[in-house]
Amino acid sequence: MQAQRVPLCAALFALCWILTFVINDELVNAAKSNQRTRSIQMRQNSGINSKREDLQQDGFSEDTQMDEPRAEEMVEKQKPKVKKTPEELLAAKAKKAAEKEAKTKKPKPTKKPKPPKPTKKPKPPKPTKKPKAPKPTTTPRTRATKPSRKPTMEEEEEKLLLELGWDTLFPTEPKETETAKPFGPDHDVHNKKDAITPPSIKEHDPTYWDARHEVPEPELIPKVKEPHSTDDPCIYLPIPEESTTTPPTVAPWYEEYDYSDLAAKKLEEELEKARKAKEEKAEKLRKMWEEEEEEKRKQTVPHAEPKKCPPLGMESHRVEDDQILASSMSHHGHSALRGRLNMQSSADEDDVYGGAWCADTEEKEHWFQVNAHREVEFTSVITQGRSSDTHDDFVSSYFVAFSNDSRDWTVLDDGYAEWLFYGNVDKDTPVMTEFSYPVVARYIRILPQSWNGSLCMRLEVLGCPLPTSYPTENDVPPTDDLDYRHHNYKEMRQMMKVINEECPNITRIYNIGKSSQGLKMYAMEISDNPGEHETGEPEFRYTAGLHGNEVMGRELLLLLMQFLCKEYNDDNPRVRRLVESVRIHLVPSLNPDAYELAYEMGSEMGNWALGHWTEEGYDIFQNFPDLNSILWGAEDRGWVPRIVPNHHIPIPENVLNGSVAVETKAIISWMERTPFVLGANLQGGEKLVTYPFDMQRPLRATGADSRGGQSVREYQHMNEETWARIQRQNEGALRETADENLFRWLAVTYAHSHLTMTENQRGSCHTDDVTGGQGIINRASWKPVVGSMNDFSYLHTNCFEISIFLGCDKFPHESELASEWENNREALLAFIEQVHRGIKGVVRDVDGNLLANATVSVEGIKHDVKTAATGDYWRLLNPGEYRVTARADGYSSQTRLCIVGYDANATPCSFTLTKSNWARIQQIMAQSRKRPRLVTNTPVNTNNRINVESTGATAGPQNERLRRLRLMRMRKLRMERMRGSATTTTTTTTTLPPTTAATSTTDPWFDLWFELDNATTQDYNSEYRIDV
């Protein structure tokens, strides 16, 4: 067997050796034919590259070409058919290792090998052509063919080169051959570009080419060992002429890295653009969102700015008593009716007039309810503590509930919990609590939760009526086109200026003085001849703003200015008659400093006292000199009118230098230089009219009544009713003026012309009705004050002045001005017309000269008036017959009977006085410079004649006694005349024994003016002899 095997192996060896030679010969022939085929293919590739460049210029790029994934597969299928040589195996392994390394190092272009420096650097392309670097012409890759064709030419060529070992013949010529160009950097560039720009040509397109499927063959070339060959490689190179077909813009391989930098920069630019676009889009969305929110905010009412509504009328009493209800009350004087804002308590806080609503502390639930009588939009609540001098009670927190039927209540909440509102921190300052949104309801309840001291509170509710609601019967629509709003100092001045410009022929603006802060107290004169006093034309005045927080009178006078100007231009006969027959003076603000303080706080927010006094702390209405005490003291001593007159009582010295406000001095000066006849001052806090006296006359502790002459012992025999009636009469006599009936008529004229002042079903603002349904009251019997403006005007000038209290709310809301003007318009005009009630005239001498400061007295009325500087006078009287007497120094008096009728005009009653004999005697004595002396040699009635040649007191005690008896008789006669109708018996002249008169327990300061007990009195004989 072994012998047989040896020949068989030798035969096989010989056969293999023969086959090897055969195969080598075939391979040599195949290599030559393949070389020829490759040269032909290179020419075809150059043509293909030119066509590719043309396509790229038409809009196609290298990135949009089709990939040929099946070519590699076909190559792989063909490879196993031929037996690989060791060199081929080594090249395949190197190729696989290079592919694996390329896959791992593909995203890191920074690790690329640094290219060698060329000996001569080629001229770089222009910067404008750099972005065109990734053109298909610069890539050595061939276009992929359709799968139906045989795309194995390159693969076969590469296979043959590898088999023959000729693939190593071209390692140094990558620039000249298109297939030997560096693929690594270009491959990276394409990968980056593919990552940025997606292909626009689909895969089924035959021209589609994807660089991701390309094998980086150039990377394998440096790793393969080059076999030494004696063959000249030039014969295998492409024809030199064909190299000219390559585009001249192809850059060297080492400049491909610049394109990668450009790609990176382009990538950064793209990312930056994308980021900016994203930011712009976000900004645009944000702006759109803000615009949408703004539109929503405009459509919905913001919670920060709640709706502004007027008060329902708790303070002004427009809310009736039956609309107020409470859970309980601690005392009958602290019922729910006392829970109105700024409600004032009486002097005795334990009576029925308490200063707030106070709840019973034993109750578990406390509430205060207001019924609006119709559905309204409630917007806010103003709370205040208790008005008291001894207690400090107020509510510090509370809930608010609403209802439409008073049974089901809804507590105001914020969506999560009930809304707890904070109240007051003291008892006087009002605190407003605004709701975040208006609540439509009919009933509102305040539910106190915590309080200081006792549970006491006062409040006001603010709400707007619904547009569909109907006005109530108490709502008076305005009929005049006027400016119904509050005016501060600047706006008031501007308003007066506008009125003056509209009616320059009948108006004049002037100021009566300045306030302590330097603000002018402006006045407007309305007359047919402004700026000049006309003889026979009476002067009238309306003043307001004595207290800065009482603003109703201020606005009414501004409205009256507008009304008179407008109606005069419209030829209203009533207004024209007033303007042409009366000189009207309107002063809207006598305390401008305090008004600015109250105006800053606003309506409903100032307490009862804020702005009441001047900047220096004076109450102007009570800051005038006290002339009542001087008059009453003189009357008690019988010095009126012989020593102290009953009119134009002089102001005591140094009184104005004391505690008198600057505003008061300006008003006094204004009164003295203008002959006012009638006037009124407008105030607030009540709704009534008061007349003088404003000061209560003190009682005298004497054995007999100073006015009635009744002895105190006689009261012991009277029953209680008679005694009470006499006491009321005596007390009334202590407060009455000499013109009591006239003052009552003037007060009734305004009160009854007012639309609501005589309505007494609700009582007064703070207590029961004190006017008896008439709307008028004597100030001394209501709230007596000392040194009032009304008393001073009556006793120091000819002016009869009253006080008009316009309403319970001192600072009403702007929405109430129109209705208040309608309530007061007729009353304001009717009161001006009363200046023509009585008599008027002039006093002159026989030569026709007008007599100034002449006294005009009316029989039965112990109050006289004086003529003005122009000799005219006005005396207000009720209808009737009067004996009027005119007197002047140096002239004989004249008496006339004047009849006052019910006509609208005053009755003319003038006087002509003649000079008296005594004036002639004084004139002669002044010329001769001699004094008259009494005749002393007449021996008759020595008791009635006294020798006055000797100066000093009469000698002897007998004459002193006679002098005292005579003084006592004169005083007794004067007292009997004062009693009037109390006794009708004539006084006898029988000499009575001396009696000691009862001394007064009071000793006023003005008693020091006169010392009659120590002075000597001389009786003169009526017969005189003139020495010539």
Side-chain angles (χ1 to χ4, degrees), residues 915 918-928:
K915 292 186 178 181
W918 179 246
R920 178 58 181 169
I921 293 172
Q922 290 179 339
Q923 182 180 2
I924 295 172
M925 287 190 300
Q927 292 176 357
S928 60

Side-chain angles (χ1 to χ4, degrees), residues 579-647:
V579 173
E580 293 172 358
S581 61
V582 184
R583 192 182 181 198
I584 304 172
H585 300 262
L586 305 178
V587 184
S589 182
L590 290 175
N591 191 0
D593 298 339
Y595 174 80
E596 291 301 310
L597 181 62
Y599 180 83
E600 184 179 356
M601 293 300 298
S603 176
E604 313 299 332
M605 294 308 297
N607 57 29
W608 190 259
L610 182 65
H612 185 85
W613 295 277
T614 64
E615 191 70 21
E616 299 174 345
Y618 294 107
D619 187 339
I620 296 180
F621 182 75
Q622 307 176 27
N623 193 233
F624 290 83
D626 178 18
L627 303 182
N628 301 60
S629 300
I630 298 175
L631 175 65
W632 293 334
E635 286 181 352
D636 293 340
R637 288 162 177 78
W639 299 342
V640 178
R642 184 172 61 91
I643 300 176
V644 178
N646 59 16
H647 65 96

Side-chain angles (χ1 to χ4, degrees), residues 576-777:
R576 279 190 168 271
R577 184 171 59 253
L578 282 176
V579 173
E580 293 172 358
S581 61
V582 184
R583 192 182 181 198
I584 304 172
H585 300 262
L586 305 178
V587 184
S589 182
L590 290 175
N591 191 0
D593 298 339
Y595 174 80
E596 291 301 310
L597 181 62
Y599 180 83
E600 184 179 356
M601 293 300 298
S603 176
E604 313 299 332
M605 294 308 297
N607 57 29
W608 190 259
L610 182 65
H612 185 85
W613 295 277
T614 64
E615 191 70 21
E616 299 174 345
Y618 294 107
D619 187 339
I620 296 180
F621 182 75
Q622 307 176 27
N623 193 233
F624 290 83
D626 178 18
L627 303 182
N628 301 60
S629 300
I630 298 175
L631 175 65
W632 293 334
E635 286 181 352
D636 293 340
R637 288 162 177 78
W639 299 342
V640 178
R642 184 172 61 91
I643 300 176
V644 178
N646 59 16
H647 65 96
H648 288 81
I649 300 175
I651 301 175
E653 297 180 0
N654 299 325
V655 171
L656 297 180
N657 297 330
S659 57
V660 178
V662 177
E663 295 84 354
T664 306
K665 295 178 182 179
I667 296 172
I668 292 175
S669 177
W670 179 51
M671 289 180 176
E672 291 177 344
R673 66 174 178 264
T674 308
F676 291 110
V677 179
L678 181 63
N681 51 81
L682 308 182
Q683 302 184 37
E686 271 290 352
K687 186 178 285 189
L688 47 85
V689 180
T690 64
Y691 56 89
F693 281 125
D694 294 352
M695 178 180 176
Q696 177 73 43
R697 185 170 184 173
L699 296 173
R700 298 189 61 189
T702 58
D705 183 38
S706 61
R707 306 286 283 186
Q710 297 266 350
S711 176
V712 178
R713 296 178 181 178
E714 296 179 3
Y715 293 149
Q716 299 177 358
H717 304 287
M718 299 179 183
N719 56 26
E720 294 181 358
E721 294 182 359
T722 305
W723 182 83
R725 178 175 55 82
I726 294 175
Q727 284 297 110
R728 286 195 299 270
Q729 293 177 355
N730 294 338
E731 292 178 0
L734 296 176
R735 297 186 293 263
E736 295 176 356
T737 62
D739 293 280
E740 174 74 12
N741 295 332
L742 178 62
F743 273 116
R744 289 181 62 86
W745 169 259
L746 295 175
V748 166
T749 299
Y750 193 96
H752 286 247
S753 300
H754 194 279
L755 296 184
T756 61
M757 190 169 288
T758 56
E759 297 177 358
N760 62 343
Q761 70 274 8
R762 58 168 177 79
S764 65
C765 295
H766 307 283
T767 59
D768 292 335
D769 184 23
V770 296
T771 65
Q774 298 299 318
I776 65 171
I777 191 174

Side-chain angles (χ1 to χ4, degrees), residues 240-391:
E241 290 78 8
E242 293 180 358
S243 62
T244 58
T245 60
T246 58
T249 58
V250 176
W253 64 271
Y254 51 82
E255 289 189 1
E256 294 294 335
Y257 296 100
D258 297 336
Y259 294 115
S260 65
D261 295 339
L262 290 175
K265 292 179 180 179
K266 187 174 181 181
L267 177 62
E268 292 179 359
E269 292 177 358
E270 293 291 337
L271 294 176
E272 184 68 18
K273 290 181 180 180
R275 184 181 62 79
K276 291 182 178 179
K278 186 176 180 181
E279 292 179 355
E280 291 177 357
K281 185 177 180 180
E283 183 68 18
K284 186 176 180 180
L285 292 176
R286 186 182 65 80
K287 290 182 178 180
M288 292 176 59
W289 179 81
E290 289 179 355
E291 292 177 357
E292 292 177 359
E293 291 295 327
E294 186 67 22
E295 291 294 334
K296 293 180 181 179
R297 193 179 296 108
K298 291 180 180 179
Q299 294 176 0
T300 59
V301 179
H303 291 178
E305 297 180 359
K307 188 176 182 179
K308 302 296 182 182
C309 291
L312 295 184
M314 289 285 290
E315 183 179 4
S316 61
H317 286 258
R318 288 189 292 113
V319 175
E320 302 293 340
D321 293 344
D322 58 353
Q323 298 178 240
I324 305 173
L325 191 64
S327 58
S328 62
M329 59 180 177
S330 61
H331 184 262
H332 63 274
H334 298 280
S335 63
L337 306 181
R338 310 299 298 176
R340 301 177 183 271
L341 188 69
N342 287 322
M343 178 65 70
Q344 300 299 303
S345 62
S346 59
D348 185 6
E349 298 181 7
D350 295 331
D351 62 4
V352 296
Y353 307 121
W357 163 70
C358 296
D360 188 1
T361 55
E362 296 182 358
E363 295 288 336
K364 295 182 179 180
E365 296 183 359
H366 307 286
W367 48 265
F368 187 93
Q369 174 181 316
V370 177
N371 179 10
H373 276 177
R374 55 182 175 180
E375 291 185 350
V376 298
E377 289 182 321
F378 295 103
T379 58
S380 55
V381 174
I382 301 176
T383 58
Q384 193 178 27
R386 177 181 178 182
S387 172
S388 174
D389 296 333
T390 58
H391 299 85

Side-chain angles (χ1 to χ4, degrees), residues 525-587:
E525 176 189 345
I526 301 178
S527 176
D528 58 344
N529 190 13
E532 181 180 351
H533 173 73
E534 300 180 30
T535 303
E537 186 176 76
E539 306 268 355
F540 178 89
R541 72 166 180 254
Y542 268 136
T543 57
L546 290 166
H547 306 135
N549 58 344
E550 298 170 0
V551 303
M552 175 62 74
R554 174 194 183 100
E555 301 304 329
L556 285 180
L557 292 188
L558 292 176
L559 293 172
L560 182 60
M561 295 177 191
Q562 303 176 51
F563 177 79
L564 293 178
C565 176
K566 180 176 177 296
E567 295 299 320
Y568 184 86
N569 293 335
D570 294 342
D571 294 331
N572 187 325
R574 183 183 184 184
V575 173
R576 279 190 168 271
R577 184 171 59 253
L578 282 176
V579 173
E580 293 172 358
S581 61
V582 184
R583 192 182 181 198
I584 304 172
H585 300 262
L586 305 178
V587 184

